[in-house]
Amino acid sequence: LQEKLKKIINKEIKINSKLPLIKLKNKVINRCINLGYKYEDIIEILDNINIDSNSNIKSDYDKLYNKYKLKYDEYKLTNIIKSKLYQRGYSIEEINKIIE
């Protein structure tokens, strides 16, 4: 049972590797729950797996900056970009690091 669940989790991680880490974990958890696995088992395996998210926060930041730079002043622009990146599933630490 555990081996089968690990195989499914690894497959889902490969398929969705472009997503930010938070969204990737949520997607994997939802997929496994829909297949009938217990939440505790899924979390236990996810904690043991080292997940490298290939999401590119820099390109998302650049796209948002170019889209909104003419509409808003610097302060409001920063807040809008932060909220949009957060909605896309990036953590606050990642967002603050890229904006600095």
Side-chain angles (χ1 to χ4, degrees):
L1 187 68
Q2 292 286 56
E3 289 302 316
K4 192 171 183 183
L5 182 57
K6 278 184 185 178
K7 191 175 180 182
I8 293 170
I9 288 174
N10 286 328
K11 183 179 177 185
E12 285 295 314
I13 290 171
K14 283 180 186 174
I15 291 172
N16 299 304
S17 65
K18 297 271 189 224
L19 293 176
L21 192 60
I22 296 168
K23 276 193 175 184
L24 176 64
K25 281 188 174 184
N26 286 339
K27 195 160 191 136
V28 169
I29 291 169
N30 287 335
R31 173 79 172 128
C32 293
I33 288 175
N34 285 342
L35 292 173
Y37 293 99
K38 292 181 182 173
Y39 180 79
E40 294 80 22
D41 296 337
I42 301 165
I43 294 299
E44 180 182 323
I45 292 175
L46 274 177
D47 288 342
N48 294 332
I49 295 176
N50 185 15
I51 302 174
D52 292 330
S53 180
N54 295 332
S55 64
N56 196 348
I57 189 171
K58 179 70 174 141
S59 68
D60 284 346
Y61 171 80
D62 291 339
K63 286 178 194 173
L64 289 170
Y65 182 81
N66 289 331
K67 182 176 181 178
Y68 294 116
K69 67 181 176 185
L70 298 176
K71 291 183 182 178
Y72 303 106
D73 62 73
E74 196 65 34
Y75 178 75
K76 188 159 183 147
L77 176 67
T78 303
N79 288 337
I80 287 176
I81 290 175
K82 279 184 179 182
S83 69
K84 296 286 184 186
L85 288 174
Y86 190 72
Q87 288 171 3
R88 292 185 183 184
Y90 295 106
S91 69
I92 296 294
E93 294 82 25
E94 288 177 304
I95 295 169
N96 288 334
K97 190 163 45 168
I98 198 73
I99 289 182
E100 294 304 315

